[in-house]
Amino acid sequence: MLAAGLTGCARLLYTTPLSYLAIDEPPPQSSLPVLQALVRTVLPFDHPRVPRVSPDAIDQRLLKIFPFRPDDEETLTLRRALMIFNDVHLFPAAPPALVTQELDALGVEDRHSPAWSEVVGTMRAADERIYAQFSGGTQARPPEHFVDLTREGRVKYYRLWRQSLFLVKRHFYRSSKTLILVTAWSMDEMWTSIGYAGPLLTGHDKA
């Protein structure tokens, strides 16, 4: 069951529709620092109630259940999504391809309706507004990349994706956070903090 859950979380990220910008194929290892920075953003490793599990251990567990296969098309889509997420200044952008993805997700058939044009304009303006608050509140001009932000800055930037009115951006936030949390809580070291002694049957017993 746990394996199925992890696979389902990975599938959410694999299918997140964030390949809306035309970018070259990123090198296989280029997106790993972004994923690692996300792990360190989602999990409060310095909190006293969080078990003493190292970020590197979470990274290794995550890559074990969620391998970056260089010849896999879904992995390529994820790498592109992570690279887009990493470019902080792209957040307020709403190119036509993103709008198309959004309307597809919402099941909108009449793409030329004035009402939908107004809705998309409202969504774009909202993203620009919250990004302006972030970029002015974090520092005069935030670094161009997520991986270069302080942890506080990464947390605030990541929250923009949760707050966005665009469904595709909120989907990326939810699926990435879920994958990281499920990965962490699938580790034996985390179980003691919730009083879980592990499965009643070992692999040998099941056999």
Side-chain angles (χ1 to χ4, degrees):
M1 183 179 297
L2 177 59
L6 292 173
T7 301
C9 292
R11 176 66 59 178
L12 282 175
L13 258 184
Y14 275 139
T15 57
T16 193
L18 273 177
S19 55
Y20 55 79
L21 296 179
I23 61 174
D24 294 333
E25 179 176 340
Q29 299 300 316
S30 62
S31 54
L32 288 180
V34 187
L35 193 59
Q36 292 168 342
L38 268 173
V39 168
R40 288 149 181 80
T41 302
V42 171
L43 298 173
F45 289 100
D46 57 348
H47 195 283
R49 297 187 63 182
V50 174
R52 299 298 91 187
V53 179
S54 72
D56 290 343
I58 302 292
D59 294 341
Q60 293 171 12
R61 173 67 172 163
L62 181 56
L63 292 175
K64 181 178 180 180
I65 64 173
F66 191 25
F68 276 35
R69 300 184 180 91
D71 58 346
D72 186 84
E73 187 63 30
E74 291 180 332
T75 299
L76 175 59
T77 298
L78 172 61
R79 293 207 311 267
R80 287 173 174 163
L82 287 170
M83 297 309 293
I84 291 167
F85 171 81
N86 189 46
D87 195 327
V88 172
H89 299 294
L90 287 180
F91 176 81
L98 179 143
V99 174
T100 297
Q101 292 276 6
E102 184 73 13
L103 296 180
D104 286 344
L106 295 174
V108 176
E109 296 182 358
D110 185 3
R111 306 300 173 90
H112 304 292
S113 166
W116 276 111
S117 296
E118 183 177 349
V119 169
V120 170
T122 299
M123 295 162 67
R124 181 185 292 112
D127 272 10
E128 292 174 349
R129 186 161 53 250
I130 62 175
Y131 177 78
Q133 293 172 351
F134 159 77
S135 60
T138 303
Q139 44 203 320
R141 179 177 174 79
E144 294 183 358
H145 299 115
F146 174 73
V147 296
D148 296 326
L149 292 167
T150 63
R151 185 178 187 278
E152 179 184 7
R154 293 199 310 269
V155 169
K156 290 180 178 180
Y157 173 69
Y158 192 40
R159 286 174 181 166
L160 297 184
W161 292 70
R162 181 191 67 188
Q163 298 166 356
S164 174
L165 295 183
F166 281 96
L167 177 63
V168 294
K169 293 182 180 180
R170 298 198 309 274
H171 179 90
F172 178 86
Y173 174 88
R174 290 195 306 269
S175 55
S176 58
K177 184 174 184 179
T178 298
L179 179 65
I180 292 169
L181 290 176
V182 171
T183 298
W185 289 105
S186 72
M187 300 179 67
D188 295 2
E189 297 89 338
M190 302 288 281
W191 293 349
T192 56
S193 67
I194 58 174
Y196 177 53
L200 295 177
L201 298 178
T202 66
H204 177 74
D205 292 333
K206 293 178 182 178

